[in-house]
């Protein structure tokens, strides 16, 4: 280390050779221009400096790392809730793309990935071993059309199946609490206000999930199953791209601490999304998309009413009748728009 520092200091004092290797010419790569304008401190209309780069980055990492509420960042680094929350417009974008792909109200596709834990402690090996007979840790994720992962729940033992992971995750917490961004759309003349996710056949029949149909009978259901499975591949492709970009989450991990593994997976997903966001405008040309307002939350002082409303929303999420009604409406919608009555 001392030798390397001595070389660096010598080069800094006497950079006559022009590069890090003697005799090589210097290539200017415009590193100063490689940045995201979102994190640049700017002035407002009256010339006052806005939020600093440190404030914006700190707020983002506190929300991602600690799961704090968006308005909690206001007390810590003086950033308002409307600045920290931008997912209402993300939901609007998902709805626009989902409708173009034949699924009005779709917010992405849901699935799980198992990460092999090579150095799992022996005492935990039985708990973390699943179908593969090797200890694994489960990542539950929701990805959209361009492989952007906007929900991730990581850490459950590999002995759990997708349903167990779903029950333990926070995917529908905002819906149950009444704080989810609005998702208004119409199918077959009926207005819906809660989005849904595409999933494979193991997932339960909830009003917020649309699994595929195994062994579909009839042309309508066959068309639905074909289109559903094609769109559902988004999350599987996202897992593949994530693993191809970061080899550490592809092969067996050799670390011991679960918290370190969580930080590694979270960091890889964040960097994956940064790449996706940087390339998004080049991949998809969206002329216009509906802009959703932020959710309005009424503050109720009666704890009993709050709890009853929470239970009602929770029951609606798991409403099997609402699930079949939504699925049947989607089947008819797709047949009207993409089906061939001659078949």
């Amino acid at each position: 280390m001392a030798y390397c520092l001595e070389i660096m200091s010598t080069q800094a004092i006497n950079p006559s050779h022009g590069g890090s290797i003697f005799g090589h010419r210097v290539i200017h790569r415009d590193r100063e221009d490689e940045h995201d304008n979102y994190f640049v401190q700017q002035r407002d209309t009256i010339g006052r400096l806005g939020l600093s780069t440190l404030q914006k980055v700190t707020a983002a990492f506190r929300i991602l790392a600690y799961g704090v509420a968006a308005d909690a960042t206001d007390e810590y680094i003086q950033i308002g809730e409307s600045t920290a929350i931008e997912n209402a417009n993300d939901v609007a974008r998902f709805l626009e793309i989902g409708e173009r792909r034949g699924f009005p109200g779709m917010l992405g596709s849901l699935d799980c990935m198992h990460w092999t834990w090579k150095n799992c402690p022996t005492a935990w090996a039985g708990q973390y071993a699943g179908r593969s007979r090797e200890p694994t840790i489960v990542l539950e994720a929701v990805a959209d059309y361009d492989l952007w992962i906007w929900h991730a729940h990581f850490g459950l033992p590999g002995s759990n199946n997708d349903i167990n992971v779903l029950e333990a995750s926070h995917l529908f917490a905002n819906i149950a609490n009444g704080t989810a961004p609005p998702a208004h759309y119409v199918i077959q003349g009926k207005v819906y206000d809660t989005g849904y996710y595409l999933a494979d056949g193991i997932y339960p029949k909830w009003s917020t999930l649309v699994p595929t149909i195994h062994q579909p009978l009839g042309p309508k259901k066959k068309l639905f199953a074909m289109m559903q499975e094609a769109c559902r591949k988004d999350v599987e492709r996202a897992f593949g791209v994530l693993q191809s970009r970061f080899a550490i989450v592809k092969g067996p991990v050799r670390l011991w601490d679960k918290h370190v593994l969580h930080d590694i997976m979270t960091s890889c997903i964040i960097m994956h999304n940064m790449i996706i966001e940087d390339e998004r405008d080049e991949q998809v040309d969206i002329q216009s998309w509906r802009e959703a307002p932020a959710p309005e939350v009424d503050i109720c002082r009666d704890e009993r009413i709050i709890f009853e409303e929470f239970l009602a929303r929770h029951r609606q999420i798991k409403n099997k009748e609402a699930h079949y009604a939504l699925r049947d409406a989607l089947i008819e919608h797709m047949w009207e728009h993409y089906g061939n009555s001659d078949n």
Side-chain angles (χ1 to χ4, degrees), residues 147-279:
L147 313 186
W148 189 58
I149 300 173
W150 69 273
H151 160 80
H153 178 72
F154 176 77
L156 262 68
S159 58
N160 292 277
N161 60 24
D162 294 4
I163 301 177
N164 301 137
V165 177
L166 177 65
E167 292 282 4
S169 75
H170 56 278
L171 177 57
F172 299 120
N174 289 341
I175 297 178
N177 292 327
T179 59
H184 301 302
Y185 57 97
V186 180
I187 303 177
Q188 296 294 106
K190 183 178 179 180
V191 179
Y192 296 83
D193 57 7
T194 302
Y196 58 86
Y197 307 94
L198 302 183
D200 60 22
I202 191 177
Y203 281 91
K205 305 299 187 291
W206 292 1
S207 64
T208 50
L209 295 173
V210 178
T212 187
I213 301 178
H214 289 302
Q215 298 180 347
L217 300 177
K220 293 183 179 181
K221 292 185 177 180
K222 289 182 179 180
L223 174 65
F224 169 82
M226 180 185 67
M227 296 186 64
Q228 193 272 0
E229 292 171 5
C231 291
R232 184 173 56 83
K233 296 296 182 182
D234 292 345
V235 66
E236 297 179 8
R237 292 191 296 117
F239 289 149
V241 172
L242 180 69
Q243 291 177 324
S244 67
R245 283 177 172 156
F246 306 102
I248 192 170
V249 299
K250 181 178 182 180
V253 62
R254 293 173 172 81
L255 300 175
W256 298 85
D257 194 333
K258 290 192 299 181
H259 300 289
V260 174
L261 302 183
H262 181 276
D263 292 343
I264 291 174
M265 180 62 73
T266 302
S267 301
C268 291
I269 292 175
I270 292 173
M271 290 185 286
H272 166 84
N273 284 345
M274 292 173 66
I275 298 172
I276 295 297
E277 290 177 354
D278 183 62
E279 300 174 349

Side-chain angles (χ1 to χ4, degrees), residues 95 97-108 185-189 192 196-199 209-213 216 218-232 325-343:
L95 295 176
I97 297 300
E99 187 168 351
R100 294 187 183 187
R101 302 176 73 186
F103 287 91
M106 181 186 69
L107 299 177
Y185 57 97
V186 180
I187 303 177
Q188 296 294 106
Y192 296 83
Y196 58 86
Y197 307 94
L198 302 183
L209 295 173
V210 178
T212 187
I213 301 178
K220 293 183 179 181
K221 292 185 177 180
K222 289 182 179 180
L223 174 65
F224 169 82
M226 180 185 67
M227 296 186 64
Q228 193 272 0
E229 292 171 5
C231 291
R232 184 173 56 83
L326 173 62
R327 192 197 67 177
D328 294 342
L330 284 171
I331 292 174
E332 294 297 330
H333 170 81
M334 291 183 181
W335 184 251
E336 289 181 2
H337 289 81
Y338 307 100
N340 186 346
S341 59
D342 296 335
N343 292 341

